[in-house]
Amino acid sequence: MQAKLETSIILNQHHIKNRLVMAPMCMYQSDDTGSVKPFHEAHYYMHALGGIGLVMVEATAIDPNGRISLNDLGIWSNNHIKGLSVLATRIKEAGSTSCIQINHAGRKAVGKNIFGPSKIQLEGKDQQPKEMTLDDIHDTIKSFQDAAVRADKAGFDMIEIHAAHGYLISQFMSPLSNLRNDLYGKKHQLLNDVIQAVKQVWPIEKAISVRISGTEYHPDGFDIDDVIEILKACNLDRVDIIHVSSGGNVRPNVTSFEEGYQLPLARKIKHQLNIKTIGGGLLNDYIIGEQALTNDDCDMVFYGRLLLRDPFYFLRHIDSFEFPIPYKRGKLTPPKEKL
Ligand SMILES: Cc1cc2nc3c(=O)[nH]c(=O)nc-3n(C[C@H](O)[C@H](O)[C@H](O)COP(=O)(O)O)c2cc1C
């Protein structure tokens, strides 16, 4: 019987060879220029060689003032296109689908001039954000759009709008960080406007993902039902998949998480909105990913830290996955090969 993880999936017009997603993970290996370094080239190529169907490039800053760290990758300038195109090309050469996550960190950013929806300081941060003016908001939406143009020019098959983990878009989604009285006080408004702006420039045949936090784990924050209402208020036409994570805007009132803890959130969004989802969260083996697909919790499964510690995990555990030809002799198959 064919395992579900091995089966292909079509997002928009794009055929993805299996259901595995490498979660976007900031590697903090660039410098103040935000440019791609040899590390990133090797890193993403290696993970694509590891058999992952959809390789997501880490949160990439649409604006230098929206960086999580001074070592983030950037997509705020046309100078970034060439380096990013190497990542898209390498990922595809290795047989995977390439996606890039675009982000603005808002009040969580580094630097002196941080802004957010309201003047509410992030717990543990010594700086109060400036409240964004309408011009700031419009400029930021335009920066997301310009980033999408560059991502297309770099050759990515898919783009992911980062609306999770307490970064700018999710700050606008949360009653804990958005106290505005204007149009953008509506919790779905910035997310929706960014989606529509990206759609205007993103080629019709290419796929779009939105990453969201399904809950803030806080009594006064948003929960999964609020997120579903926010997503319902957005025009999700042309959004191919919702990538479901959680938390990040405030300290959670939960102290420990179990394997697969975000899967119920992905399941609820999938079934209530009738949209494809990517689910995961602390998945430590392929069995739990396979179960998530069998249970219809989600359509694709993301793995993060497992892949950092073991980039070739799936080559070793899923029989039908081909080792890259130069590495074939490394595959231990009984009877043991003589060296
Ligand atoms: C080193 C590291 C960097 C991360 N950077 C990002 C990021 O750039 N964008 C994002 O959406 N999530 C980021 N995350 C969260 C992961 O995508 C993923 O949701 C999280 O690690 C949980 O999945 P896991 O338990 O399989 O690792 C990061 C996680 C780690 C460990």
Side-chain angles (χ1 to χ4, degrees), residues 5-76:
L5 282 170
E6 299 168 59
T7 56
S8 64
I9 181 168
I10 293 176
L11 292 187
N12 192 346
Q13 298 175 35
H14 201 83
H15 181 269
I16 304 179
K17 67 180 178 181
N18 60 48
R19 305 288 173 127
L20 292 167
V21 178
M22 177 190 173
M25 284 179 284
C26 284
M27 293 286 102
Y28 309 115
Q29 292 301 309
S30 186
D31 54 27
D32 203 30
T33 65
S35 58
V36 167
K37 303 293 178 195
F39 170 82
H40 301 102
E41 295 177 11
H43 173 66
Y44 289 108
Y45 194 32
M46 173 178 67
H47 284 287
L49 287 175
I52 303 299
L54 179 58
V55 174
M56 291 205 170
V57 171
E58 64 203 75
T60 303
I62 60 154
D63 186 304
N65 291 325
R67 283 178 288 179
I68 301 168
S69 82
L70 295 178
N71 299 95
D72 285 14
L73 281 181
I75 191 164
W76 66 79

Side-chain angles (χ1 to χ4, degrees), residues 22-28 57-60 68 101 103 160 162 164-165 167 211 243-246 261-262 280-284 302-309:
M22 177 190 173
M25 284 179 284
C26 284
M27 293 286 102
Y28 309 115
V57 171
E58 64 203 75
T60 303
I68 301 168
Q101 186 185 60
N103 187 42
E160 180 167 277
H162 198 355
H165 300 164
Y167 295 118
R211 194 164 209 205
H243 188 175
V244 186
S245 186
S246 59
Y261 69 103
Q262 293 163 331
L282 265 178
L283 305 189
N284 282 320
F302 73 81
Y303 287 87
R305 288 162 288 182
L306 170 74
L307 291 173
L308 293 184
R309 60 182 172 269

